[in-house]
Amino acid sequence: MHASNTKVLIDEKAKSKQINATSKLGAQQMVHWFVASSYASSSFTEERVKNSVALLHRVPSARNAVLHRFTMLYEEAIRASLDQMEFPATAIGLSSEMTSSLELVTTTLFDLLNENGEAWASILCSWSVESLGQISSCYKQRQVIPPPTNLSRLLSFWLNLVPMRMLLDVYRTSLNILIQCNVASCLDSLLSASSNHSPYFDWVVADIGNAFPNAVIERVLNTGFSKFCKLRWTSISITPSSSITMNESEQSILTSVIRILEHLATFHQTQICEKMLEMFKTPPADKSTGQIKIVFFLMRVFSASIQLLHATTNLFVNEINATTLNQLHKQFKRLSKGPEEMESLCSLVVHLVCQSSTGSYSLVNLMIAAASHDSQKIGGLEKSVKDIFSNILPSILKDLQHLALSKQSEDKETNNVFFELSNNYPNLCKDIITTSSDERKKWLHSVLLSVCLNHHASHVLSHLLIESTTAAHLEIFLKLFNDVKPFVPELTEKIVIRSFTAIKQMPGEKSLRLLINLYHLTSQTGSGLVSDNFVTRMTHCLCIVLDELVSMLGHLSSSQQIAFNAVQLLYIILSSVSSYKIKLDMRLMPLTQTLVFYFYKLLHTGHVNNDQAMQCCQRTLVQLSQTPELFAVVCRFVLEASVSQENSILFGRRVESNFSENESHSSQDLCTDHHVSLLSMHRKLSAQTISRRCSSVAGFVPISIETGMVGSGPKQKKKCPISKVAQTSNNESLSLLLYRCCCKTTSGTDISHFSIPDVAQAFDAEKLSVLSTSLLSAIMASSPYLATAITLDGEPEWPSNQVKKFTIERDLKVFHFMDEHPFAWQLLSLVAHNYRSLWNLSPILRSCISVLIFHFEASRYNEPPSETSLHYQVALQVIQIARKGQLIPPPLCFVNELFHIVTEYEINVLMVVVWNFIKDYPPPLEGENNEVPVTRNFEAEGINLQPYLATIHTILHANIDKLGHMFSRFTMQS
């Protein structure tokens, strides 16, 4: 491409002058003059150059001498150019005469090629390429010339020198003519010059190779392979030009081939890979051993050139199958010189695998498949071939591990064997989990160990942890973890963090697997590969992701299985790690809120107390309530949520039921029709009456109808939307939860097998006090009416029974609340173990007793009440709680034993007796020396029970036929 530019510089008049000058001399005179000018000073005058040109035309036998003189001319011109670049102040550079001489010589050479290219191309090609090599080596020490390692700068530098560019254009033109008919001769001269003048001649090879890539690549490979075979084995003659000189050795041949190919690989890597693959597929000459020799040659090339190895690994791996390996093994046995040859081959394979990059995963996977006799991946291998791979693979894996350890302190590289192995660690993990071959598992374990040691331990182990679905899979994880742990600090923390980071982008199934596996690892100690130290470490590391566990538990989209396993892990953390390390003071509120949310979510989905999920949730909440301070938070969240609109229906709150459009009503009862309005009917009748009467007469309008209090249709009946069985189960679950939280000895125990005795010693008095306060607050928060009732009527002193007539409406609100929330009675029974705590809830008991008194007072039935009636059941519960809470002493506390026998009015009398006693003798809240007594001592208080017992005796006398046997029960023992 520079030839046309060079020709532009040549004056057309030079050619005519040359012809005129040469015509005056004979051939013999020209030779004498040429020889004489060689010994004269300033031999490169324009006249002598013209004579040389004329001699080249007239005397063919003198062409080598003339061409040598031309080489010296170019060399001198380049020296002058370099001098001017290095010493611009003193050097004059190219003279006009030197420039004219160069133009004349270059023009002459181009003319020869144009006139008779087939004859002169070979001659000028060999001369020009040797001249280029000679000049490049001659000036290698000049400071202005870039080093040969920077090929792009070196190439640019020489192309910017006019004399060198002229000479290169002559070579290109010759090569362009010759490449069409005699590729071997022109490329052999190029390779020969490269071998003699390397590395200073590499820029020429790079330039020519870019112009004729396919031809140069093919010739370089074939020539190199031919010489390689001649040195190592018997002669394989591809071309006559593949002769070996005395200075050439196997290493020098490989070095020459590699140097040229690496230069060309920058822009022609695809062509190089294709030519190498073509050599492998169609080996030359000797069919019996040709392919194995090609393999040896290419392996040696790859071992010395990492660049070519990385470029071709994938191509060759894709071409290797069982048939190819069996065939190569047969050819190798024909060439093998003994065990040393096999050992050398194995070492070379190990070296190549460890130096590979792109395609390393496919290469290692292929070798593992061959060594582990995997018929699915590479079936049909001969046993001897499998044995070879089985012998090579341990060395490869050992070297990979050593290489990984040596690179641990270095930065992560992107051009080594671990790059693709690390990118494919999910496939390796899947392979080791799914394979049924123990031998294959062993190899894959070693590969994964190498990947872990090369900065990817947390990636690999977290992926295994997420993907494991059986105990056998976890054993694989633990074995790999135990091998990696000594080399990677803080490995457990990295695995946990990486795992929870990864599952954010994964489906819920992956999250569930991770939680199950973590629970399995942290709940089993001293078995197999799980050590106590590992469990402790893993449990402490879970504190790092405690917020993520809470988020998974509280997320609405989380499945029940995910939530259940998250709660199990939270329990393990709370029961094994100190509150300080968990930072419970900062996490208590969101943690408690989430657990309470999950508890009610279980109730809404139909879980009962014996369900595993419910017991796990309760166990975690109990563990969180170990101190009264922590229990106060848990209790507040639980009780406030229990009285909310959406949760209170779980326990029996009744709501208005909407009649469906298809619901049938009795046509005989007009009031059952939704559209019947007494107000409208009354106004219609009133209008008819007034029209018949005098206008001064006004019709009577009931106030209750006009104000809308009645008459707007049938009363809407309220009903709880869930079944009685579910209500009972839900109340039991909530009550048992708080019972267990208040118990002294439920920490770290299996609550499913732990029975709670109904004695005061089993419960924490401080927690009972907290429970009473929280229950009262929850009742107040449930409704403004209840808040008003407790606020206005919440004084500790009980008023006279007659005063309760003015608070009956508010008392009814409290009574209905207790009816719709049966768990409140059970909590009152629990609080009654501490009479001081029960006294805090006395407004609740007072309202209930007040309603009972009014109810039974209004009854005039001379029969005992129905034992299934609400008021009867409440009356029994009130007396039992007052008895347990030591608000009433024996024998007054036995009055509930009479309720099923006496009339309702007599029950009213008995309830009034109880009211009056509690009003007259409230429990002491302080003892001597300001000490609060644990239990109440009625005898020490000097209480006179005779006035109260007298009323009871009156009822006994009235029912002597039925209650005579119980008289002693209500008599004071002296």
Side-chain angles (χ1 to χ4, degrees), residues 351-408:
H351 173 75
L352 291 176
V353 173
C354 293
Q355 294 299 319
S356 62
S357 177
T358 304
S360 60
Y361 167 72
S362 301
L363 183 58
V364 171
N365 205 24
L366 172 68
M367 302 195 72
I368 291 177
S372 58
H373 302 202
D374 192 340
S375 58
Q376 293 182 353
K377 295 184 179 294
I378 182 168
L381 270 184
E382 296 179 357
K383 185 179 182 305
S384 55
V385 179
K386 295 178 181 178
D387 293 340
I388 293 175
F389 280 100
S390 299
N391 294 331
I392 295 176
L393 202 53
S395 300
I396 293 175
L397 299 178
K398 184 178 180 180
D399 282 14
L400 284 177
Q401 293 174 16
H402 290 167
L403 189 61
L405 288 172
S406 66
K407 292 180 177 293
Q408 265 197 339

Side-chain angles (χ1 to χ4, degrees), residues 220-509:
V220 166
L221 287 172
N222 288 337
T223 303
F225 172 64
S226 178
K227 293 181 178 182
F228 177 81
C229 290
K230 286 183 178 181
L231 285 173
R232 189 157 186 169
W233 298 294
T234 57
S235 174
I236 296 182
S237 180
I238 299 175
T239 62
S241 60
S242 59
S243 57
I244 301 174
T245 64
M246 293 180 61
N247 296 328
E248 286 186 317
S249 63
E250 183 177 321
Q251 186 59 44
S252 65
I253 294 172
L254 292 172
T255 302
S256 177
V257 172
I258 291 167
R259 187 171 60 250
I260 297 172
L261 294 180
E262 284 184 344
H263 294 332
L264 298 178
T266 304
F267 300 103
H268 306 285
Q269 178 174 294
T270 303
Q271 291 94 321
I272 294 173
C273 295
E274 290 175 352
K275 291 296 181 183
M276 288 183 169
L277 189 60
E278 185 180 348
M279 286 183 68
F280 174 74
K281 290 181 177 180
T282 56
D286 189 357
K287 298 297 183 181
S288 61
T289 58
Q291 192 171 26
I292 190 63
K293 290 179 179 179
I294 288 287
V295 171
F296 268 104
F297 170 69
L298 293 178
M299 289 175 66
R300 288 299 307 274
V301 171
F302 296 150
S303 66
S305 175
I306 302 300
Q307 180 181 356
L308 296 177
L309 173 64
H310 293 175
T312 56
T313 303
N314 268 331
L315 288 175
F316 282 97
V317 171
N318 294 335
E319 294 297 326
I320 296 176
N321 52 39
T323 303
T324 303
L325 291 174
N326 292 335
Q327 181 179 348
L328 289 174
H329 181 248
K330 292 177 182 178
Q331 295 185 15
F332 174 77
K333 288 192 293 186
R334 298 190 188 104
L335 284 179
S336 179
K337 300 175 183 178
E340 296 79 8
E341 188 84 16
M342 175 59 73
E343 185 176 351
S344 175
L345 175 63
C346 294
S347 300
L348 186 57
V349 172
V350 171
H351 173 75
L352 291 176
V353 173
C354 293
Q355 294 299 319
S356 62
S357 177
T358 304
S360 60
Y361 167 72
S362 301
L363 183 58
V364 171
N365 205 24
L366 172 68
M367 302 195 72
I368 291 177
S372 58
H373 302 202
D374 192 340
S375 58
Q376 293 182 353
K377 295 184 179 294
I378 182 168
L381 270 184
E382 296 179 357
K383 185 179 182 305
S384 55
V385 179
K386 295 178 181 178
D387 293 340
I388 293 175
F389 280 100
S390 299
N391 294 331
I392 295 176
L393 202 53
S395 300
I396 293 175
L397 299 178
K398 184 178 180 180
D399 282 14
L400 284 177
Q401 293 174 16
H402 290 167
L403 189 61
L405 288 172
S406 66
K407 292 180 177 293
Q408 265 197 339
S409 59
E410 303 175 6
D411 295 335
K412 295 181 181 179
E413 299 180 11
T414 59
N415 196 29
N416 59 29
V417 64
F418 297 108
F419 179 66
E420 189 164 317
L421 287 176
S422 301
N423 290 339
N424 285 275
Y425 73 83
N427 296 330
L428 292 170
C429 293
K430 181 181 178 181
D431 218 358
I432 196 173
I433 287 176
T434 57
T435 184
S436 58
S437 171
D438 293 337
E439 187 178 13
R440 183 172 178 81
K441 283 184 179 180
K442 178 182 68 174
W443 302 130
L444 290 170
H445 174 85
S446 299
V447 175
L448 286 173
L449 178 58
S450 303
V451 176
C452 290
L453 296 177
N454 189 59
H455 308 286
H456 287 80
S458 60
H459 296 71
V460 174
L461 289 167
S462 63
H463 189 82
L464 276 176
L465 188 60
I466 294 173
E467 295 296 330
S468 297
T469 57
T470 64
H473 297 167
L474 284 180
E475 288 184 6
I476 296 173
F477 164 82
L478 289 170
K479 185 178 179 182
L480 186 60
F481 174 86
N482 293 333
D483 290 342
V484 177
K485 183 181 178 182
F487 304 98
V488 181
E490 299 180 350
L491 178 59
T492 312
E493 291 88 339
K494 295 176 181 178
I495 294 173
V496 172
I497 295 173
R498 176 73 187 178
S499 300
F500 277 86
T501 303
I503 62 173
K504 293 179 180 179
Q505 308 298 330
M506 296 181 180
E509 181 184 355

